[in-house]
Amino acid sequence: MSELVIGNTELAATKQDLVAALVQRTLVASSKLGGLFTDVSQYAVKGAKSISFPYRSQRFAVQKRASGQAGSTQELVYANDQLELNENYYISWIIENFDNLQSVIDAETDSISDAAAAHGEQFDKDAFKKLIDGAAAGNNVTFSSAITKENITEMIQKLDEQNVPEDMRSLIIRPAGKKQIMDIGDFVNANKLGSDRIVSRGQIGELYGIPVVMSNLWPSGYATTRALMAHKEALFYGFQSGPQVGEAPALEYGVGSKRFAMDQLLGFKTMQSGKFVSKLVG
């Protein structure tokens, strides 16, 4: 009587699901900006080089109708915008079988997890660049020697003047500005916000009701930008393909050695002509 064996063929799909779950968890945990801005991945379609997505370009306006007169009808106007899928993230590495056997670390899991973390960090660096480069110059606030209460209230005013909704704003700072922000009397530490509040990854607290997020992934070459205040709709991003992991034999490094690769395809777009972002620069 032949025996049925559950082997690599039967477990391949399960293994890939587990790897995908690990990658997704690690990538999300490594990115602080992903949850602060708008994901339009649901509009990505196979075969497209860009994502076309709708956004509201005109809102309702209140009328003052005189007694006995009919009010005029209005419409919500939607337009389509496009986000180019032109960021191809890729990492490749090889694990030698004998080295893996002699290691107390699960090299495969550890290397996949680290590659996913690197993808998440690169996402934040690119998001920063898009926000900083695309911000409207008229929203800039001048930095002198430290981040002050006046700096923050002026950034708030800049967004208010652009009719940016007051909810879903975030203040993003560099490590150098953390103490300066925490020294402002109106700052509320994250551990004092209450159990009913949702705290974003990297959030250190709130200032004037705005979540404050600290990131050490500020891209090189942008040192003069000390802080950003932005609305969730300031930046849209989308994935045509989420992170994928593949493996193949690397026999040139010995039997059982493997070559791995992780890649994904995505894109970013600064929205609202950069008016939903205020930069503290100097």
Side-chain angles (χ1 to χ4, degrees):
M1 178 179 178
S2 61
E3 295 182 305
L4 296 176
V5 178
I6 299 175
N8 188 61
T9 301
E10 291 76 17
L11 293 177
T14 302
K15 177 182 177 182
Q16 185 58 38
D17 287 345
L18 291 172
V19 169
L22 169 65
V23 169
Q24 194 62 40
R25 285 198 309 271
T26 307
L27 190 147
V28 170
S30 301
S31 171
K32 295 181 180 179
L33 299 193
L36 302 181
F37 299 102
T38 304
D39 183 357
V40 293
S41 299
Q42 69 267 31
Y43 299 109
V45 295
K46 181 177 174 59
K49 295 182 179 180
S50 62
I51 296 177
S52 179
F53 55 91
Y55 71 97
R56 193 174 60 222
S57 60
Q58 181 177 312
R59 303 176 61 193
F60 285 136
V62 173
Q63 302 174 38
K64 293 187 177 180
R65 184 182 60 82
S67 177
Q69 293 185 358
S72 58
T73 59
Q74 300 179 47
E75 61 181 358
L76 284 177
V77 179
Y78 290 86
N80 278 325
D81 209 334
Q82 283 198 326
L83 180 154
E84 297 298 322
L85 295 163
N86 53 11
E87 302 285 352
N88 191 348
Y89 292 0
Y90 178 82
I91 298 175
S92 179
W93 67 98
I94 293 173
I95 297 178
E96 287 196 39
N97 185 42
F98 288 159
D99 289 343
N100 192 30
L101 290 174
Q102 294 173 356
S103 174
V104 296
I105 298 173
D106 183 346
E108 286 192 21
T109 301
D110 189 59
S111 62
I112 289 171
S113 180
D114 192 70
H119 275 243
E121 292 170 2
Q122 187 62 50
F123 175 96
D124 277 14
K125 292 177 182 177
D126 288 339
F128 272 126
K129 290 179 181 179
K130 293 293 183 180
L131 284 166
I132 295 171
D133 291 342
N139 282 358
N140 288 356
V141 173
T142 303
F143 171 88
S144 53
S145 58
I147 301 176
T148 65
K149 174 180 179 178
E150 289 71 23
N151 289 152
I152 304 305
T153 55
E154 188 177 352
M155 294 173 84
I156 293 173
Q157 181 179 341
K158 292 287 188 181
L159 296 187
D160 288 345
E161 290 171 351
Q162 299 292 349
N163 296 318
V164 177
E166 293 183 42
D167 61 336
M168 297 189 293
R169 296 182 185 182
S170 299
L171 175 62
I172 310 166
I173 61 170
R174 294 158 51 181
K178 183 176 181 179
K179 182 180 184 303
Q180 298 163 11
I181 286 288
M182 295 179 74
D183 284 344
I184 296 176
D186 296 302
F187 176 81
V188 180
N189 198 290
N191 60 16
K192 297 181 180 178
L193 292 176
S195 58
D196 60 330
R197 302 294 293 277
I198 298 175
V199 178
S200 303
R201 171 169 170 76
Q203 183 177 343
I204 62 171
E206 283 188 0
L207 191 56
Y208 308 123
I210 299 173
V212 180
V213 175
M214 192 276 292
S215 174
N216 58 0
L217 295 175
W218 222 265
S220 59
Y222 292 81
T224 58
T225 300
R226 312 291 178 157
L228 293 169
M229 187 177 291
H231 185 267
K232 188 175 181 68
E233 294 184 0
L235 181 74
F236 281 20
Y237 64 89
F239 297 86
Q240 186 171 52
S241 166
Q244 300 183 87
V245 180
E247 63 181 66
L251 295 178
E252 64 271 31
Y253 291 95
V255 175
S257 298
K258 296 179 182 178
R259 183 187 307 273
F260 293 84
M262 180 185 295
D263 62 2
Q264 60 181 325
L265 184 62
L266 66 153
F268 300 88
K269 185 175 180 65
T270 306
M271 301 297 294
Q272 310 293 341
S273 301
K275 295 178 181 179
F276 276 33
V277 187
S278 176
K279 294 190 299 185
L280 182 60
V281 293

